[in-house]
Amino acid sequence: MLEFSILAIFATCIAGMMTRAQSRKRKREALLPVWERENGKNQIEKWLEGFLAKLKRTSTRTEKCRLILAVERMQFERDVYAAWWKYVQFGEEKVEIIAYDNDSLQKIKITEFQKQLLKSNASLKNQLIGHSEIKEEKGEWQIPAELKTKIISEGGEALVFSEKFGFFETAVRVQIFDPFLFTNNFGLDLLTWKINFEKDYEKAVNKEQSEKQNQMPKHKNIIKNFVNIELFHKKDLKQEDCIGWITIMEKADEDLRTVLKDEKIGIEQRKKIAEGILDGIVYLHNIGIVHFDKKMENVLLMNGFPKIIDFGLIREFTGRMGYREMGYARKGSKFRIITALSSATPGFAAQAQITIGDGYKTINLFYFLFCDWKSSWNLLYKPIDEKERKKIDKIVKNCNASSIHKIKERNISIIREITSIISIPSSSSHFCLDDPNLTKSVQVSSLKQNATKCVIQDLENLTKNVLDQKSSNLCVPISVATLLRFAIKNDLGLDEGNYYSAEKILSTLTLIVYPRSMAGLNLNPNKEETEFQLNQIELLLERLCKKTYLMETGWEIIRQLYWKEERQPKESTCKFEKILLHKNFVCSRPLTVTGAIIIPYKRIDGIDYPEKLFFHQMTLDRIENGEYVLQNNQFTDQSSTVIRIKQRYPHYAAEPFVSNLENQTGDNIFIDGNIKIELINEQYYMTRNRWFLLPYAYSLKLTEV
C-alpha cells in the first residue's frame, strides 16, 4: 500500500513537471514568430484564408493576355527562345513557339493552366498570337477600408501591406502573375497554394553548386522573406505554373528614394549604405542572381542598413527550386536570359534588358548616393559644353570625388575617397523625375502599344480618350526616334530594320538616354507644364547630340543597340538644326514640328470638357501641293494619321510674344530677314478645331567621322 502511495505521488510530480514544461514551452512558442512555431503552418493557413477573402481587383487584360503571360512562365529547351519568340500557336496538346522570321523554335506540351484558359475560350486555339499583344494593365485593387489603412505601396499587379503577427511587425507583398487572379473571373474556389518557410532552407552559396536545390538568399543586405505562399489554379495538380505570390517579409523603416530626395543623411551614412548595397549585389551575383531593377525604391533601410528588394526583374543562373519557392526568382526561360526581360525602369535600365545591345550598363543608383537630389539628375541627363564640364570638374574635385567616373567601369572606389556630397549650384529641376510614377518599371510592349496609339489616333477630331489623357502620349520621343531612324538609313546607309527599329530607338531614348521624356509633351498640359513642354523637343535633341557630365551622347548609346560592332552604324556625329517654317519653305528630309489646336467645349458621355489648348509633337513627312503633310509610318503596320495643313496658314506663338509684337509694330507679322510669318494664338485670331504649327521645326543629321 505504501509503495502504491509513493508511486502515486511520483506520478503526480511527473505530471506536474510535464504540465509546467508544456506551459513553459507554450510561453516560449508564444514569443517566437508564427513561422518558427511547430504549428506555424496551421496558423498561417488560418490567417491566409481570411486575408485572401479581402483581396479584390479588376483587370483590363483578356484571355489572350493570360495565355501570352503563361507562355512567358514556361521553361523552353533553350532559354534564348524567350528572347526570340514572336508568336505562339496553341494546338490540342502542344503550343508552338515561333520566331521573328516565322521559323518554328519549339513545340512544347500545354500546361494544365493553359488548358483551362483554352477551355474558356476555344477560339484562341490554332491562331497566331503575337508576343506584343499583351494589353496595358489598367485594372485597380478594390480592397476593404481595414486593409487600405495598412497599405505601404500599391501598383497595378502588386500590393504591400503592413501586418502584425503576434509581437512581430512584417510587410506582406501580394504579387500577381495571372491578371485575373482575385477578380470576379477567378474566385477563391479555383485557388490552391503551397506554403514555404525560410527556416526550411539553407543559405544559398556558390552558384556553381547548383545541384543544391534547397537553398535561398540569406544576407544582411537582402530582404528576408520569412514565408512565401505560392498560388496555383486548383486544376494544376502538379503545381507546374505558379500564378502569384503572397510573401511575408521584413518590414523596413523607409525607402532610399525618400531618404535621398529629402536630403536626410550625410556623406558618411551614404557611404555605409553604398557599401551595403554593393555587398548585397556581389552576394547575389555569387549565388547566381543578377538584379536588373537597381533603383532607389528597391533599397529599403532598416536601422540604417540597406536591404535590396523586388526580384521581379532578374536573371537567375542556377534554376534552384528554393529561389522560386521563397519568392526570389520567377519560373521560366524569360528569367534566365537578360534580353527576354523586355522591361526596365526609366533612368535605371541596362541597355541589354530592352535590346540586345551593351551600350549602357552603369548602375546609376550609386550616383544618387554621392550627389544631392537635383545634382544627380543633372549630372546624368543635362547636356553640357566643355566650359560647363570644367566648372563641374572643380566642384567634384573639391569633394575628392573625381573617381565618380569609374562607376561606369563597375569600380566603386569613390566610397573610400569622397569627403562631401557633390552639389552643383546651377542644377535645374527640369531633369528630375520627382514624380515616383515616372520611375515605375515599363514593359517595352506597352511602349510600343502607346506609340502605335499615338501615331494612329484621330488628331482632327479629338475624342474622349484623348481629352481624358493625363499621362504622356510619348509624342516628343516618338518624333525624334522617327528622325533618327531616317538618318541611320539615309545618312549612314544602314538598314538594320529589326535591330535599329523606331521601337527600339524609342525604348532607349525614354528609358536610358533621357527618361524625363517619359513625361512627354502632354496632350492636356496644365499651365505650369506648358513652358517645359514647349522646350522639351529641343532639350531631347540636345541630349541626343551632346554628352552629359556622366554619360555619352544619346546617339552613341543608341548606336550600340546591337552588340556586334560590325553590325552597328558607323561612328558618327549627331547634329540638329532649328528651321523656320514659312509659305515658301522647301522640305528635303523629315522634320519634327509642334502643332497647336483649340478644342471648344464638349460634352461626351455626360462629362463636360471645357475649351482647351492642346499641343502635340508630330513629324513633317513632306510638302505636297502647298500643304504640310504630317505622318509617321515607323511605329505601326496600320495606316497612321495624316494631317494636312496649308503652308499659307499662320503659325502659333505663345503669349506675350504676339501681343508685344502687335504693340511694337501694329500687326502680328513676324519678320526674319526676307521671311514674313503671320503669328496667332488663343487670344489672337486662332480658329477653333484647326491645327496650326509653331514656326520652328527641327531636322536631325548624322555625319560619319
Side-chain angles (χ1 to χ4, degrees), residues 572-586:
S572 45
T573 58
C574 178
K575 290 187 178 180
F576 71 91
E577 183 182 358
K578 193 172 185 178
I579 296 168
L580 186 62
L581 300 174
H582 54 88
K583 62 182 179 182
N584 297 316
F585 176 74
V586 177

Side-chain angles (χ1 to χ4, degrees), residues 453-468:
K453 288 176 188 175
C454 183
V455 299
I456 67 171
Q457 66 184 334
D458 183 1
L459 293 174
E460 297 282 16
N461 180 29
L462 297 185
T463 62
K464 177 179 181 293
N465 183 50
V466 176
L467 292 166
D468 269 344

